[in-house]
Amino acid sequence: MTAKLHRAVRCTAAVLAALAVGAGATACGSSTGTSSAKAGAYSRTAGEATGSALKETAAQGSRTDAVNTLSAAATSKRCHTGELRYSWGLPHGGHPDMDATSQQTAGIRLKNGSGRTCTLHGFPGVRLISKSGEAWDLRRSSDKPSTVTLRPGQSTAMVSLTLLPTATNDPDTKAFVPSKVLLTPPDETTHVTLKWPYGGAILDQSGATRPGTFVSPVGVG
């Protein structure tokens, strides 16, 4: 009788403890093994639910990242190197006189070959390559850049090169004989290579602080 009373007291204490932690009432006596099995099942179910919640959170994060990437691409308005078409020419069909001794202007026209409207703002990178393989990165003018907007198929943007020609047979000057031009649009990292079409030579001032040959920002032309 005393033993049964002790078991009853212990059972009551166990039930109260279970209720206190929110686990629900636990059967006593011979049902101890069943209770343990239920507790284990509950733990596995809770673990599976937590794992599922974490996977769903990760999936939502991936979807959010993808949406953000697409949004960034959609809102990028810059004209990219591969979207443009390049040709030599000035607004009225002129070209530099490479036999002159004064500064001349050469122009590279930029046409939007994409199916979207894009913009150009700033200075392009211009590297001259001579027939002997020398490279000359042109300095920038002091002009202030403005934004040029190109609709699909439009070709109103221009890169202006100011040149200072020289005679190749002048013993007092060093001549730079252009062969090709590497042009990188503003804010881009890839370039296009254009053949130099005008012949002649440029006074080599590649090491000068204020050379007579330089590049202006992309403008309307």
Side-chain angles (χ1 to χ4, degrees), residues 41-124:
Y42 175 81
S43 299
R44 285 194 299 275
T45 302
E48 290 169 359
T50 301
S52 298
L54 290 174
K55 288 179 181 178
E56 178 61 24
T57 300
Q60 289 176 353
S62 298
R63 288 194 293 269
T64 300
D65 291 341
V67 170
N68 289 340
T69 300
L70 290 173
S71 298
T75 56
S76 176
K77 295 182 178 180
R78 186 175 77 246
C79 297
H80 300 301
T81 304
E83 295 178 316
L84 298 170
R85 305 294 177 263
Y86 309 83
S87 60
W88 292 96
L90 292 169
H92 302 291
H95 57 82
D97 180 4
M98 297 306 293
D99 292 325
T101 56
S102 59
Q103 284 181 320
Q104 301 291 305
T105 301
I108 302 174
R109 303 186 71 87
L110 307 179
K111 179 180 178 179
N112 183 0
S114 73
R116 69 185 183 97
T117 298
C118 62
T119 61
L120 293 158
H121 181 91
F123 288 86

